[in-house]
């Protein structure tokens, strides 16, 4: 009777745990907040109840193995979901974690450590697997729930021997035997625990101390595992993560006594020399031929999917063996990563796991079918358990099967396990940290071994595209979908990890990436990946992976352009042009993801901002034409096939900026892309005009003006200053947008004529005077607006007493116009080398082309200040900034007859100009001559000019100048004086002047006859011919 009760109790326990495990699977589809809370409460209570089964009075050696294993498997399901400990009403989450840890460490020590591993305790194999997996889940739960970082010591095992009561505890030494277990699942999971613990500095120190008595220590042990070709990829991957974590703690460059962290230690028994820190790391990498092994990994990498061979004899035998097992719990055999967990592929090891699907039948035994592999890499024995399917997704992918689920599998000594993309993703993360720790040595090694080129050659955009198309058009069998999905996730994860590595390479040394054999195919694949359509047909997990890959690639492209924009821009543009329309679709999708995927949104806009900025620099430096085709400007404005897409791109960016609040940081990110786009693209300016961006900016300026006035009435200087800074930044951004809308676009300037643009600026003028940066932005805006636009110049002379829409602008002489404010600003005694002073004169140089502006300048006697400009003294023969600014203003003023007369009417102006010809100016040495040249064309000025011996001497001396430009200016000016003015002959018939004219004419005529004539030479000869003819008559 007792035996019957016991059997019923055991069967009931088995069925209950199976039911609870299946129930937890169903919780994975719950989305309602209330249901999630209930499911969490159930999970925590179940975890506490399961924990009680481990707290028995008997010694752990005598546990009932089947019952214990089922309990542990239930605990695996419970702990697989992050936050499983946080729903108890009677116990703190971290307290639950500590109780779990104590119980699990007791089990693992009883069934593994005390029995010297599975070699002596084969019956505990399933218990060991489940316990280790629970510990892995627990490590990540403790990271999330721990109130501080001092929880690693809780993982130490004490010494159980009574004779060793006063010795130091084992620490983490209990993990080391698990790393060399014969079962790859145990190896992988225990290494993943090591990876989780070493994510904290205390874990690195504890694990290193626990490995002191092992040959090679921690660094050598983990390096051996990583480079062991017979190990499966998941095991090697976790070893790479541990090394990556160890490199986070700064390494000393030389031996430091009493240092807590020495890093690797290398001792040469023959010479007796010891190395620590960075030198030891380099010696370790050299000893293990690290980079040669990495290249071998790349050559052995298998990019294909995991397919099925139902005729495989091994598979048949495994099916037969499995079907003979009576005590098999088939509720779970597949573990998958949480789709809503965002995790960096290159920085974190195996983390949270969850159960998402019922067990696959063993008929779906996995076999890796590589299209090409060397004889040494052929896998003759393939494990059934999916953990052995070399490599899984970035988060934990582990089975929860019983020890009978899969027979023991080993890889023969002469075999090489298949290298998978997840392993190379971890290797990229390791290289990333190595590049940070020892940038010069690592960069040199990568360059010599061509490792980056080899890794980049594995980015197969065509394979990725083909797999995604299969996902959108699935095959009849769902298993194919599963494994195609895994393949896509692996490839995308590798792309992300490689992108991070290449970014670090660019930051360390651009030459590591700027190589044609690496950069050209990399850019081609990059833009093909960015052309993938993720809107339709992809499930959320895949879509999230695609978005993450896009984000990392955008960051890589942005870093490339930022570090070497001038040299990389042609390559980037050429690759972009081949997928231009598809990439625009991707960009528009990313721009719209500002809420759900802000990281992707920001990365995309930052790439566009740098791309458009680099194109703007190219246009500025190469005004005529680019040395390559197509350019970004061509793609934006001249490519007929993409006009609709470009309009969609511009509209997306503009709307994304306009619709966001001024306090939203994403508004400024959008503006950083919109500003250079407006500066280089006529299409973008047209879209901005159609979208009423100018009107929106003006409304925002009015709002800022009202807010500034309102805040000025409130007390509190500290708060006031902070608000003013924010408003100043907003105002500056708005004016920069307006400036780029107006840049070389008469249509946009004309649209502003019918608005209160000038009135708004005039009303803001008192605030602008208090902020030099804002004033510079305002003057820059006005310079762009008034350039080659007389109507806009005249608008500044209108009265603007307010912002009322019913107020009409009128001409005024009372000083109530923006033009008067600008003249007043220019009249103030400026500081030396004042930027505001230069920009004010640049603006006035634009404005003097308008008749109204000339009148205001004359009536205010502003031009009289030119006569008092201080000129350099002593040996300094270069004009100052203020003098040059005045010359630019007078040069533009001299283009019209009215302006020419204004200049000559100023008493002393001709003498001042003649004196200034003695000084040099590097950027434009002929400005003074051009002013004198222009005023010679006014009939009213000729008498005064001819009466000034200094001016005549300057012009006649030009004929003998070494500069052809000066010669042409002098000849043209003298001809202008003689034209229709007979009195000029008396002065110019001076023998000295006539001799110069005759000699110059003969010389130029000879030069023109001998050489191919240019338009300037023809005009020069014509001037001299007319001079000779007029003076001879």
């Amino acid at each position: 009777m007792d035996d019957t009760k016991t059997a019923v109790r055991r069967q009931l326990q088995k069925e209950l745990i199976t039911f609870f495990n299946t129930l937890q699977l169903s919780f994975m589809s719950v989305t309602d907040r209330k249901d999630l809370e209930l499911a969490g409460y159930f999970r925590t209570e179940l975890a506490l109840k399961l924990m009680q089964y481990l707290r028995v009075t008997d010694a752990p050696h005598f546990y009932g193995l089947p019952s214990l294993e089922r309990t542990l498997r239930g605990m695996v399901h419970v702990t697989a979901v992050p936050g499983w400990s946080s729903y108890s009403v009677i116990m703190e989450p971290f307290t639950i974690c500590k109780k779990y840890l104590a119980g699990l460490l007791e089990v693992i020590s009883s069934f593994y450590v005390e029995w010297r591993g599975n070699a002596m305790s084969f019956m505990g194999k399933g218990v060991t697997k489940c316990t280790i997996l629970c510990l892995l889940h627990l490590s990540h739960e403790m990271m999330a729930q721990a109130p501080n970082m001092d929880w690693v010591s809780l993982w130490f095992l004490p010494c159980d021997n009574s004779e060793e009561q006063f010795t130091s505890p084992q620490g983490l030494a209990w993990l080391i035997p698990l790393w060399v277990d014969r079962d790859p699942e145990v190896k992988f999971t225990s290494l993943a625990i090591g990876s989780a613990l070493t994510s904290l500095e205390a874990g690195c120190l504890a694990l290193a101390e626990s490995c002191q008595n092992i040959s090679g220590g921690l660094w050598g042990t983990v390096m051996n595992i990583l480079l062991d070709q017979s190990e499966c990829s998941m095991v090697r991957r976790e070893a790479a993560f541990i090394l990556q974590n160890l490199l986070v703690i700064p390494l000393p460059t030389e031996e430091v006594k009493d240092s807590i962290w020495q890093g690797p230690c290398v001792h040469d028994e023959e010479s007796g020399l010891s190395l620590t820190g960075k030198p030891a790391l380099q010696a370790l990498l050299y000893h293990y031929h690290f980079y040669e092994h990495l290249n071998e990994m790349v050559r052995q990498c298998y990019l294909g999917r995991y397919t099925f061979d139902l005729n495989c004899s091994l598979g048949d035998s495994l099916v037969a063996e499995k079907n003979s097992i009576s005590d098999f719990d088939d509720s779970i055999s597949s573990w998958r990563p949480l789709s809503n967990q965002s995790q960096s592929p290159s920085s974190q090891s195996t983390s949270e796991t969850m159960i998402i699907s019922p067990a696959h039948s063993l008929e779906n035994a996995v076999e890796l079918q590589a299209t090409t592999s060397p004889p040494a890499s052929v896998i003759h024995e393939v494990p059934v358990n999916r953990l052995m399917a070399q490599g899984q997704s970035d988060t934990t992918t582990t089975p929860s099967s019983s020890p009978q689920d899969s027979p023991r599998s080993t890889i023969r000594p002469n075999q090489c396990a298949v290298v998978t993309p997840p392993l190379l993703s971890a290797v990229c993360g390791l290289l990333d940290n190595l590049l940070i720790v020892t940038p010069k040595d690592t960069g040199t090694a990568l360059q010599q071994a061509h490792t980056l080129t080899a890794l980049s050659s594995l980015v197969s955009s065509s394979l990725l595209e083909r797999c995604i198309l299969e996902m959108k058009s699935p095959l009849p069998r769902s298993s194919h979908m599963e494994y195609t999905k895994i393949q896509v996730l692996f490839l995308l994860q590798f792309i992300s990890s490689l992108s991070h590595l290449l970014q670090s390479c660019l930051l360390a040394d651009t030459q590591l990436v700027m190589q044609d054999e690496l950069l050209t195919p990399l850019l081609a694949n990059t833009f093909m990946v960015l052309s993938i359509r993720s809107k339709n047909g992809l499930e959320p997990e895949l879509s999230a992976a695609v978005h993450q890959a896009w984000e990392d690639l955008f960051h890589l492209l942005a870093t490339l352009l930022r570090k070497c924009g001038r040299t990389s821009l042609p390559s980037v543009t050429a690759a972009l042009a081949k997928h231009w329309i598809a990439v625009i679709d991707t960009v528009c999708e990313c721009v719209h993801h500002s809420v759900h995927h802000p990281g992707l949104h920001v990365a995309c806009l930052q790439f566009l901002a740098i791309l458009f900025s680099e194109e703007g620099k190219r246009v500025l430096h190469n005004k005529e034409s680019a040395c390559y085709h197509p350019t970004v400007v061509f793609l934006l404005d001249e490519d007929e096939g993409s006009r609709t897409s470009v309009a969609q791109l511009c509209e997306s960016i503009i709307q994304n900026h306009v619709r966001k609040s001024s306090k939203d940081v994403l508004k400024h990110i959008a503006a950083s892309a919109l500003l250079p786009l407006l500066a280089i693209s006529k299409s973008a300016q047209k879209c901005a005009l159609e979208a009423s961006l100018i009107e929106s900016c003006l409304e925002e300026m009015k709002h800022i003006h009202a807010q500034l006035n309102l805040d000025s009435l409130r007390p509190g200087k500290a708060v006031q200053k902070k608000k003013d800074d924010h408003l100043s930044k907003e105002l500056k951004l708005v004016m920069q947008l307006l400036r780029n809308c107006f840049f070389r676009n008469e249509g946009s300037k004309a649209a502003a004529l019918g608005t209160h643009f000038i009135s708004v600026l005039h009303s803001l003028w008192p605030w602008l005077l208090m902020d030099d940066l804002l004033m510079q932005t305002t003057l820059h805006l006005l310079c762009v607006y008034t350039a080659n636009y007389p109507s806009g110049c005249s608008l500044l002379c209108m009265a603007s007493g307010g912002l009322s829409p019913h107020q009409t602008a009128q001409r005024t002489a009372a000083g109530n116009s923006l033009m008067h404010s600008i003249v007043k600003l220019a009249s103030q005694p400026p500081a030396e080398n004042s930027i505001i002073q230069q920009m004010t004169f640049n603006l006035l140089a634009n404005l003097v082309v308008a008749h109204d502006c000339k009148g205001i300048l004359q009536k205010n006697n502003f031009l009289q200040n030119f006569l008092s400009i201080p000129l350099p003294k002593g040996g300094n023969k270069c004009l100052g900034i203020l003098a040059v600014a005045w010359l630019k203003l007078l040069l533009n003023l001299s283009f019209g007859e009215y302006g020419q007369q204004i200049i000559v009417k100023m008493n002393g102006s001709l003498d001042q100009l003649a004196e200034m010809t003695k000084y040099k100016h590097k950027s434009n040495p002929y400005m003074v001559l051009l002013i004198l040249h222009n005023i010679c064309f006014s009939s009213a000025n000729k008498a005064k000019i001819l009466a000034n011996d200094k001016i005549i001497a300057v012009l006649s001396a030009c004929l003998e100048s070494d500069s052809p430009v000066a010669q042409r200016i002098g000849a043209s000016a003298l001809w202008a004086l003689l034209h229709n003015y007979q009195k000029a002959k008396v002065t110019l018939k001076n023998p000295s002047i006539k001799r110069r004219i005759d000699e110059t004419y003969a010389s130029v005529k000879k030069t023109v006859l001998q050489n191919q004539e240019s338009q300037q030479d023809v005009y020069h000869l014509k001037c001299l011919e007319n001079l000779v003819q007029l003076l001879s008559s």
Side-chain angles (χ1 to χ4, degrees):
M1 189 66 180
D2 291 338
D3 293 341
T4 304
K5 288 182 178 180
T6 302
V8 171
R9 186 170 61 251
R10 288 177 178 174
Q11 185 64 27
L12 179 59
Q13 182 201 40
K14 175 182 177 181
E15 296 298 330
L16 274 175
I17 290 181
T18 301
F19 168 71
F20 288 144
N21 293 345
T22 307
L23 185 62
Q24 290 183 77
L25 278 177
S26 65
F27 290 161
M28 294 300 102
S29 59
V30 172
T31 57
D32 182 73
R33 180 179 298 181
K34 182 179 179 181
D35 293 341
L36 286 172
E37 288 290 325
L38 292 173
Y41 176 77
F42 168 80
R43 191 175 291 110
T44 303
E45 290 300 312
L46 179 60
L48 293 173
K49 294 296 181 184
L50 290 173
M51 189 62 208
Q52 293 178 3
Y53 283 97
L54 297 180
R55 296 296 183 181
V56 294
T57 56
D58 295 330
H61 309 69
F62 305 106
Y63 283 167
L65 286 178
S67 175
L68 177 60
E69 185 177 340
R70 282 192 294 270
T71 302
L72 287 168
R73 192 179 310 142
M75 294 169 72
V76 168
H77 283 75
V78 168
T79 58
V81 180
W84 58 269
S85 65
S86 57
Y87 291 90
S88 174
V89 294
I90 60 173
M91 197 177 298
E92 290 294 327
F94 192 65
T95 304
I96 297 176
C97 292
K98 289 194 292 186
K99 289 182 177 295
Y100 251 65
L101 179 61
L104 292 171
L105 287 179
E106 182 182 2
V107 172
I108 198 66
S109 62
S110 301
F111 279 90
Y112 196 90
V113 176
E114 291 186 5
W115 289 92
R116 300 178 185 177
N118 281 346
M120 296 293 290
S121 179
F122 181 77
M123 291 298 292
K125 178 181 177 183
V127 173
T128 300
K129 282 185 181 181
C130 292
T131 307
I132 291 296
L133 190 53
C134 281
L135 285 169
L136 173 59
H137 295 163
L138 184 61
S139 66
H140 292 280
E141 186 72 8
M142 292 183 79
M143 285 184 196
Q145 304 296 345
N148 51 55
M149 298 297 178
D150 299 332
W151 54 269
V152 174
S153 59
L154 299 174
W155 289 70
F156 294 175
L157 273 183
C159 290
D160 294 331
N161 194 324
S162 59
E163 297 178 0
E164 300 178 358
Q165 292 181 10
F166 302 103
T167 61
S168 60
Q170 294 185 34
L172 297 176
W174 58 271
L175 268 176
I176 311 305
L178 295 166
W179 290 0
V180 293
D181 192 275
R182 63 180 171 225
D183 190 336
E185 297 182 38
V186 175
K187 286 184 185 179
F188 153 70
T189 314
S190 58
L191 281 165
I193 294 174
S195 177
L197 295 177
T198 53
S199 63
L200 299 174
E201 183 175 347
C204 294
L205 297 173
L207 200 55
E209 186 178 357
S210 301
C211 295
Q212 284 182 349
N213 297 326
I214 302 174
S215 177
L218 175 60
W219 293 79
T221 301
V222 180
M223 187 72 75
N224 270 320
I225 297 173
L226 171 62
L227 302 181
D228 187 354
Q229 296 186 21
S230 65
E231 289 287 3
C232 71
S233 283
M234 290 189 69
V235 171
R236 301 171 73 181
R237 173 174 172 262
E238 294 303 325
F241 282 133
I242 292 177
L243 285 172
Q244 182 181 351
N245 290 340
L246 293 176
L247 289 170
V248 172
I249 306 177
L251 295 177
T253 55
E254 56 185 15
E255 186 175 357
V256 180
K257 294 182 179 180
D258 301 327
S259 175
I260 299 177
W261 179 250
Q262 293 283 357
C265 299
V266 177
H267 180 72
D268 187 355
E269 295 181 356
E270 296 181 0
S271 63
L273 294 175
S274 296
L275 296 175
T276 59
K278 293 181 181 179
L281 176 63
Q282 293 304 313
L284 197 67
L285 296 175
Y286 177 80
H287 173 74
Y288 281 98
H289 302 283
F290 178 73
Y291 295 99
E292 291 83 349
H293 277 87
L294 292 194
N295 286 350
E296 187 63 28
M297 285 186 196
V298 175
R299 283 191 289 271
Q300 293 176 357
C301 183
Y302 171 67
L303 297 177
R305 80 187 58 157
Y306 308 112
T307 58
F308 308 95
D309 186 356
L310 301 183
N311 297 322
C312 176
S313 59
L314 175 63
D316 294 339
S317 65
L318 293 176
V319 171
E321 183 174 349
K322 174 170 179 172
N323 290 338
S324 66
I325 297 173
S326 58
D327 187 22
F328 174 65
D329 179 3
D330 63 351
S331 62
I332 295 300
S333 69
S334 177
W335 296 79
R336 290 288 185 273
L338 273 171
S339 60
N340 61 349
Q341 294 293 319
S342 174
Q343 188 172 345
S344 172
S346 61
S347 62
Q348 201 171 18
S349 167
T350 309
S351 61
E352 305 87 356
T353 57
M354 62 170 278
I355 311 161
I356 67 163
S357 61
H360 296 291
S361 68
L362 200 61
E363 294 174 350
N364 294 339
V366 178
E367 181 174 8
L368 299 179
Q369 303 289 346
T371 54
T372 59
S373 31
S377 302
V378 176
I379 307 298
H380 297 291
E381 292 188 30
V382 181
V384 175
N385 197 300
R386 292 188 55 212
L387 187 61
M388 288 292 292
Q390 315 296 326
Q392 299 292 337
S393 62
D394 189 57
T395 48
T396 303
T397 307
T398 55
S400 60
S401 51
S402 63
Q404 298 91 345
D405 290 351
S406 58
R408 185 170 74 246
S409 304
T410 58
I411 298 178
R412 296 176 181 176
N414 62 342
Q415 290 178 330
C416 295
V418 172
V419 175
T420 56
L423 171 57
L424 292 183
S425 297
V427 167
C428 287
L430 174 58
L431 290 174
D432 198 350
N433 279 13
L434 279 172
L435 202 60
I436 295 172
V437 174
T438 55
K440 187 175 180 180
D441 294 329
T442 305
T444 302
L446 290 173
Q447 209 161 19
Q448 290 176 349
H450 303 284
T451 304
L452 295 177
T453 304
L455 285 170
S456 300
S457 66
L458 294 177
V459 179
S460 177
S461 55
S462 56
L463 173 62
L464 187 61
E465 188 176 19
R466 186 169 67 250
C467 292
I468 289 180
L469 287 175
E470 290 181 14
M471 294 293 297
K472 293 182 178 180
S473 303
L475 297 173
R477 292 181 58 180
S478 59
S479 57
H480 286 278
M481 280 279 290
E482 277 295 309
Y483 286 93
T484 301
K485 172 185 171 183
I486 292 173
Q487 183 186 14
V488 171
L489 289 174
F490 286 176
L491 294 173
L492 291 172
Q493 174 196 352
F494 173 69
I495 290 171
S496 293
S497 300
L498 181 62
S499 299
H500 284 288
L501 173 59
L502 293 176
Q503 284 182 66
S504 297
C505 291
L506 285 167
L507 295 174
D509 182 3
T510 57
Q511 291 305 313
L512 293 175
V513 179
M514 291 301 295
Q515 305 171 32
D516 290 339
E517 64 273 15
L518 167 62
L519 189 61
T520 302
L522 175 67
L523 288 174
N525 282 308
T526 294
F527 285 109
M528 283 189 69
V529 174
L530 291 174
S531 302
I532 296 173
R533 296 181 179 272
S534 67
K535 288 183 180 179
N536 303 315
L538 290 183
E539 59 181 71
E541 185 179 4
L542 271 181
S543 183
V546 170
H547 289 159
Q548 183 61 51
W550 283 354
E551 180 180 341
D552 295 324
L553 288 174
F554 278 130
H555 281 309
L556 172 60
L557 291 170
T559 305
L560 176 65
L561 289 170
R562 186 182 293 112
K563 294 296 293 183
C564 37
R566 187 174 181 181
T567 53
S568 65
L569 183 62
S571 300
V572 172
T573 307
L576 175 62
K578 296 177 182 177
H579 309 280
W580 178 229
I581 296 178
V583 171
I584 287 178
D585 292 339
T586 297
V587 168
C588 291
E589 181 181 347
C590 297
V591 169
H592 293 143
H593 279 321
S594 58
V595 176
H596 301 292
H597 304 284
L600 174 61
H601 173 85
V602 171
C604 175
L605 289 175
Q606 285 178 340
F607 160 67
L608 291 179
I610 297 174
L611 176 67
F612 297 149
S613 297
E614 290 299 325
E615 178 68 3
K617 294 177 185 176
R618 181 199 64 78
V619 173
L620 190 63
H621 293 126
N622 304 312
K623 296 183 178 180
E624 296 181 0
S625 62
C627 57
Y628 61 92
H629 184 81
T631 62
V632 176
V633 170
F634 174 84
L635 295 175
L636 288 170
D637 292 343
E638 301 175 37
D639 185 15
E640 296 291 340
S642 61
R643 287 191 182 277
T644 303
S645 297
V646 169
Q648 181 185 1
L649 169 66
C650 299
E651 183 181 358
S652 297
I653 298 176
I654 291 171
Q655 293 302 324
N656 186 262
H657 170 76
V658 171
R659 292 174 181 175
K660 283 184 168 50
S661 166
S662 60
K663 297 181 180 180
D664 191 344
V665 67
L666 296 181
K667 183 182 183 73
H668 297 272
I669 300 294
S672 68
L674 183 56
L675 280 169
L677 175 61
L678 290 169
I680 66 173
S681 172
K682 298 296 181 186
S683 299
Q685 291 176 332
K686 180 181 178 183
C687 288
L689 192 59
E690 294 172 351
S692 301
L693 180 61
I694 296 174
E695 289 78 1
S696 299
C697 289
L698 290 177
E699 288 300 319
E700 193 166 352
M701 291 173 69
K702 292 179 184 178
H703 172 74
I704 292 173
H705 176 249
Q707 190 65 43
L708 286 170
N709 289 336
L710 184 63
D711 291 344
S712 66
L713 302 175
R714 295 174 179 171
K717 292 185 178 179
V719 178
Q720 173 69 23
K721 188 176 186 304
K722 188 174 182 181
K723 285 185 177 180
D724 287 351
D725 290 343
H726 172 71
L727 292 173
S728 296
K729 291 178 181 178
E730 292 301 318
L731 185 57
K732 181 179 179 181
L733 177 60
V734 172
M735 289 194 289
Q736 287 174 338
L737 285 171
L738 283 173
R739 177 198 67 198
N740 288 8
C741 285
F742 295 147
F743 183 63
R744 296 178 181 175
N745 192 308
E746 192 167 339
S748 297
K749 294 178 182 180
L753 284 176
T755 64
H756 292 287
F757 169 55
I758 300 301
S759 299
V760 171
L761 283 180
H762 196 194
S763 63
L764 283 165
W765 198 258
W767 295 102
L768 302 177
L769 290 171
M770 295 188 294
D771 191 326
D772 286 350
L773 291 177
L774 263 183
M775 180 57 77
Q776 291 176 31
T777 305
T778 305
L779 294 173
H780 198 176
L781 166 62
L782 288 172
C783 284
V784 172
Y785 181 70
T786 56
N788 301 319
Y789 193 58
S791 299
C793 297
S794 299
L795 193 63
L796 271 70
C797 300
M798 302 294 180
S800 50
L803 296 177
S804 171
H806 304 291
Q807 181 180 352
T808 58
Q810 57 184 1
R811 298 183 185 275
T812 178
N816 190 26
S817 74
L818 187 57
M819 179 66 187
H820 286 86
S821 300
I822 295 169
V823 172
K824 186 177 180 180
L825 179 64
S827 302
Q828 295 176 354
E832 187 67 23
N833 298 334
S834 170
I835 297 177
I836 292 180
Q837 177 195 42
Q838 297 175 52
M839 298 185 72
T840 306
F841 272 89
N842 288 340
L843 175 58
L844 289 174
N846 286 353
L847 293 173
V848 292
V849 299
H851 183 79
D852 295 333
C853 297
K854 293 174 185 174
I856 291 177
L857 288 176
Q858 190 177 22
K859 290 176 182 178
N860 285 357
N861 290 325
F862 171 76
L863 296 175
Q864 294 296 325
N865 296 323
F866 170 69
L867 303 177
S868 59
I869 296 176
L871 297 178
K873 296 180 180 180
N876 185 6
K877 293 297 182 181
C878 292
L879 290 173
I881 295 176
L882 179 60
V884 172
W886 269 105
L887 289 178
K888 290 179 180 179
L889 170 61
L890 295 179
L891 179 60
N892 282 11
L893 183 63
S894 68
F895 286 139
E897 187 173 359
Y898 180 39
Q900 296 164 7
Q901 294 176 11
I902 292 176
I903 294 173
V904 175
K905 284 181 180 179
M906 290 189 298
N907 293 327
S909 62
L910 294 180
D911 293 335
Q912 179 82 330
L913 289 171
E915 185 66 22
M916 294 176 80
T917 59
K918 300 176 182 178
Y919 300 91
K920 299 177 182 178
H921 177 52
K922 294 180 180 179
S923 62
N924 193 344
Y926 308 110
M927 271 198 298
V928 181
L929 293 179
L930 287 172
I931 295 171
L932 296 175
H933 168 273
N934 291 349
I935 62 177
C936 289
F937 282 80
S938 172
S939 300
N941 295 337
K942 290 182 180 181
K944 287 189 176 181
I945 295 172
L946 289 168
N948 193 303
D949 295 337
K950 293 180 181 179
I951 298 298
I952 298 301
V954 167
L955 294 177
S956 61
C958 288
L959 299 176
E960 296 180 335
S961 172
D962 295 332
S963 168
V965 177
Q967 290 181 22
R968 286 194 292 269
I969 293 174
S972 178
L974 292 174
W975 181 27
L977 287 174
L978 274 173
H979 183 71
N980 290 334
Y981 195 68
Q982 294 296 323
K983 294 180 180 180
K985 291 182 181 181
V986 177
T987 304
L988 298 182
K989 278 187 176 182
N990 181 290
S992 175
I993 298 176
K994 192 172 185 308
R995 177 186 56 80
R996 290 177 179 178
I997 294 173
D998 293 337
E999 289 178 355
T1000 305
Y1001 172 64
S1003 175
V1004 171
K1005 186 175 182 180
K1006 182 180 179 181
T1007 303
V1008 171
L1009 292 175
Q1010 290 178 351
N1011 303 325
Q1012 186 176 1
E1013 58 186 31
S1014 64
Q1015 187 175 358
Q1016 291 87 355
D1017 292 332
V1018 172
Y1019 178 73
H1020 190 189
L1021 183 61
K1022 183 178 180 180
C1023 292
L1024 293 169
E1025 285 179 345
N1026 282 279
L1027 277 173
V1028 172
Q1029 183 180 355
L1030 289 171
L1031 291 175
S1032 299
S1033 61

